Amino acid sequence: IVELDDKIKKRAKLIANALVKKHKNVRSVLLKASPRTGILRTRDYKLIAGDRNTEVMHLENGCRLLLDPTKTYFSPRECTERMRIVNKVKENEHVLVFFAGIGPFAIEIAKKSKPLKVVGIEINPMAADYFRKNVRLNKLNNIEVIEGNVLEHAPRYYGFADRLLMPLPEKSLEYLAEAIKCTTLGGVVHFYCFAKENEIAEVKKKIKAVASSVNRSAKFLEVQKVLPYGPGIWKCRIDFAVD
């Protein structure tokens, strides 16, 4: 998948053919044709070389992940972040993943951290279908895949999660009250957001306010810069325990 400046887009075919020639494992080259949009977080692509079948097997941290980037959201750049979370999960925890996508967080946690159960909720039917396939591919029996809207399904899991992940930074605040309700006393929420360094304190205030609105409190544990997002802006993870 390539992103080209307007000045060199006219050479896209030449660039794509060179990539296919140099990297023998590359079957298709896609050009990003739009930003990510909508609740499904997908974007448009233009095929500029190779096979029209864009389904691919991604290998990460000892796990196999089948996906089609034209139909589902997935970021291989977050491999390191997923391992950070895997290393935080404790044995026999109940883990709930909002916005689970094709299942990378859920699958890597289930395979490596010995949780009692992992539940992933995903609204995109195609992503949920790949999630189910990936559970089978990795021969896991401690994952439950829920297809649908988080707001619709979260009430079934109130008080369930020892650990809850919210890897949708642009929308996490909208779902935070439900996340806190799903988390056990002393459980941990991994809250993702886009922010500048000097905005983190304000985000924490908003988290505290939401927790208070559902008669809970937040004890902050860690702030992790995950990836740069724009000039001075980071995708950040704010970890807090629910009391």
Side-chain angles (χ1 to χ4, degrees):
I1 298 173
V2 296
E3 188 170 6
L4 302 178
D5 186 275
D6 288 340
K7 294 178 181 178
I8 59 171
K9 277 185 179 177
K10 61 184 178 182
R11 303 177 65 190
K13 188 73 174 177
L14 181 65
I15 292 168
N17 287 335
L19 286 168
V20 171
K21 185 176 180 180
K22 181 175 177 61
H23 302 284
K24 301 304 181 184
N25 61 322
V26 173
R27 296 198 318 265
S28 311
V29 180
L30 300 175
L31 175 66
K32 292 180 183 179
S34 77
R36 294 199 182 277
T37 58
I39 196 168
L40 303 186
R41 297 180 286 167
T42 54
R43 70 165 90 236
D44 294 328
Y45 295 94
K46 180 181 178 182
L47 181 73
I48 51 176
D51 193 342
R52 291 190 174 277
N53 177 8
T54 49
E55 187 174 80
V56 64
M57 179 73 74
H58 177 73
L59 303 178
E60 180 177 296
N61 299 326
C63 299
R64 294 191 294 167
L65 301 171
L66 186 68
L67 68 132
D68 186 333
T70 68
K71 298 175 182 177
T72 66
Y73 172 84
F74 179 73
S75 174
R77 295 174 65 210
E78 296 181 18
C79 170
T80 300
E81 171 63 8
R82 286 188 274 271
M83 275 308 298
R84 289 191 193 110
I85 296 299
V86 164
N87 290 331
K88 290 178 182 294
V89 177
K90 298 174 183 176
E91 192 171 343
N92 292 325
E93 283 190 343
H94 288 96
V95 180
L96 181 56
V97 184
F98 284 3
F99 330 116
I102 64 161
F105 273 114
I107 285 165
E108 292 179 38
I109 289 168
K111 194 163 187 176
K112 294 178 173 293
S113 303
K114 298 182 180 178
L116 194 62
K117 185 174 183 179
V118 182
V119 176
I121 306 176
E122 171 54 42
I123 196 170
N124 181 345
M126 288 177 285
D129 188 50
Y130 277 116
F131 189 180
R132 285 186 283 264
K133 289 177 181 177
N134 290 331
V135 170
R136 293 193 292 271
L137 270 172
N138 290 279
K139 300 178 180 179
L140 298 168
N141 57 15
N142 56 346
I143 295 181
E144 181 180 4
V145 179
I146 305 295
E147 181 181 327
N149 191 305
V150 163
L151 295 179
E152 177 185 348
H153 292 282
R156 295 167 50 190
Y157 297 96
Y158 284 175
F160 165 83
D162 301 302
R163 191 173 303 272
L164 189 145
L165 283 71
M166 305 186 71
L168 182 61
E170 60 269 39
K171 295 280 188 179
S172 288
L173 268 174
E174 297 177 22
Y175 298 85
L176 184 55
E178 290 300 295
I180 291 171
K181 291 177 186 177
C182 289
T183 307
T184 59
L185 285 174
V188 174
V189 174
H190 299 294
F191 177 91
Y192 290 83
C193 65
F194 293 127
K196 296 181 179 179
E197 281 191 60
N198 61 4
E199 295 173 338
I200 294 296
E202 185 60 31
V203 176
K204 287 183 175 181
K205 286 182 182 179
K206 291 178 180 178
I207 291 172
K208 279 186 170 290
V210 173
S212 179
S213 74
V214 293
N215 299 314
R216 308 289 282 276
S217 62
K219 178 183 178 182
F220 294 104
L221 305 172
E222 179 184 5
V223 176
Q224 172 71 53
K225 290 180 179 177
V226 178
L227 289 169
Y229 181 72
I233 303 172
W234 287 81
K235 179 175 182 178
C236 297
R237 186 189 76 242
I238 301 175
D239 296 345
F240 63 92
V242 175
D243 294 322

